[in-house]
Amino acid sequence: MSDTVTIIPKFDVFLNFRGVDTRRNLISFLYKDLVRRKIRTFKDDKELESGQRISPELISAIEGSKFAVVVVSVNYAASPWCLDELVKIMELENKGLIKVLPIFYGVDPSDVRRQIGKVAEQFKKHEGRKDQDLEKVLSWRQALTNLANISGDCSLKWEDDSKMVDEITERISKELKIAKPRRGGSKLVGIDAHMKAIRRKLNLKSKESVRVFGIWARGGNGRSALAKFVYENISQNFESHCFLESVKRICQEDRHMSDLHEDFLIRTQGESLSKSMLKNQKVLLVVDDVSKLEQFDALAEDFNNFGPGSIVIITTQDKLLLDSANIKGRRVYEVELLRFHELRRQSRFKERDISAEFDLSLYRV
C-alpha cells in the first residue's frame, strides 16, 4: 500500500521576519517589489486568514519555497515564532532543499553570530522562563549561528532601504531564472512532487562518499522520463555528470559490457576523461533502464572512484536487481505507476487535439 503524498503549494520566496520591527517598513517594501516582479512570495499576514492555526500552513509554505529571506532585526531573537521557523528553514537548507538569504536589519551580523548584546539578553529570557524546553532553545541558538555564517546583506552598510531592496529582489529574480527547472519531463503528472521527494532522498549537500540510489517503476517510458528530468534539474550541482540512457538496449546490440565503461567516460561532460581525473570530482551518473546485474557491475569500478558528494542513480523495473546490488530501503524511490498527459494531433482531416491520459499515479516515497 503506497503512502499518501500531499502536493504542497509552491512559492518562490518565504519571508521570515519579526513583524513589530519590520512589517511596516522593510518587509512592506520588499514584499511589494517581489510581487511586482511576479515572484510568488509567502508573507504570513497575506496568505493566512485570521483565526487559522498558523503552524501547519507555515511549515507547508516553508517546505514549498525555493528561497527563504530571513530578516534578523533588533527584536528577532525575542520571538519563539521566528526562531521555530528559522529552525525549519535551516534544516531544509542543510539538506539543499532551500536557499537562504539573510538580511541583518539594524543589527551587526557578528553580534548575531557570537550571540552577544541584545541577542544574549533575549536568549537569557527564553532560558529563564518556566517550563521552557532548554533543548529547543539550544536548537534556536544553533540555527541562528548557522544563519549568521551565511553571507548576507546588512542594512548598516546601505545608504537607504530602497537600494538594498532593489538589489535583493534583482538577485532573487536572476537566480530564479537560472534555477528554473527544465520541463523536459513535464508531461508526467505530479512531476514536481516526484522531484521534491527524490531531492529529499538525495540530499545534494551531503559530503559522504559516493552514494547509489535506485528508481524503480513499471513502464520504461515513464521511468526514463522521470530519470531524465531528475538529471536535468540537479546536474548543475556536480563538477561532472553523465546520463547513460537505454542501457538495456545498448547491451542487446551485441556490445561488450566494457563498452559501457567507454560510453560513460566519453559522455561525461562531452569529453573523454580518465578515471584518475574523476577520482576527486563530485560526479552525477544516471544509468537508465538497467536490466542485468552485470550492467551495474560494469560501471561499479568507475563510480567507486568518484569523489565525496557523488551520486549514482540506477533506474530499473527489476526490484530484485536493486536488492542484489545492495540498493535498499531509503536508497530506493518506488514509483508504482506514472500518469502521462500526451497531446496528439489527429489526422489532417481533424484539427482538434486529443488528450490521452494513462491513469498511473501512485508512488511510494
Side-chain angles (χ1 to χ4, degrees), residues 89-226:
I89 289 167
M90 297 309 295
E91 174 189 315
L92 294 173
E93 192 275 339
N94 187 52
K95 294 177 180 177
L97 297 173
I98 196 169
K99 181 160 186 177
V100 177
L101 302 177
I103 300 175
F104 300 95
Y105 191 67
V107 297
D108 189 325
S110 65
D111 288 354
V112 177
R113 187 180 305 111
R114 295 157 60 198
Q115 296 181 10
I116 59 175
K118 263 272 200 191
V119 179
E121 293 173 17
Q122 289 158 354
F123 273 113
K124 194 169 287 187
K125 286 182 180 178
H126 288 313
E127 291 164 344
R129 290 192 180 96
K130 289 182 180 179
D131 302 322
Q132 177 64 65
D133 184 346
L134 295 182
E135 284 190 15
K136 174 172 271 198
V137 176
L138 188 60
S139 72
W140 291 344
R141 284 186 177 275
Q142 188 60 57
L144 198 59
T145 299
N146 292 342
L147 175 76
N149 285 327
I150 298 173
S151 177
D153 290 279
C154 180
S155 65
L156 302 176
K157 296 182 180 179
W158 288 86
E159 293 179 12
D160 58 65
D161 290 354
S162 63
K163 290 182 180 179
M164 181 175 70
V165 165
D166 284 343
E167 198 278 334
I168 291 167
T169 54
E170 178 66 19
R171 191 190 320 152
I172 292 172
S173 181
K174 284 181 178 177
E175 291 201 35
L176 281 171
K177 287 175 184 175
I178 293 169
K180 189 174 181 181
R182 303 180 187 183
R183 303 303 300 177
S186 59
K187 288 183 180 179
L188 278 173
V189 175
I191 187 63
D192 290 329
H194 285 304
M195 187 68 217
K196 194 165 188 75
I198 290 171
R199 271 186 176 272
R200 286 182 184 279
K201 283 186 175 292
L202 298 181
N203 184 9
L204 298 177
K205 285 205 162 191
S206 172
K207 298 294 192 296
E208 290 181 51
S209 56
V210 60
R211 292 170 297 143
V212 184
F213 295 86
I215 295 178
W216 173 85
R218 298 188 183 96
N221 290 339
R223 187 174 60 248
S224 296
L226 177 59

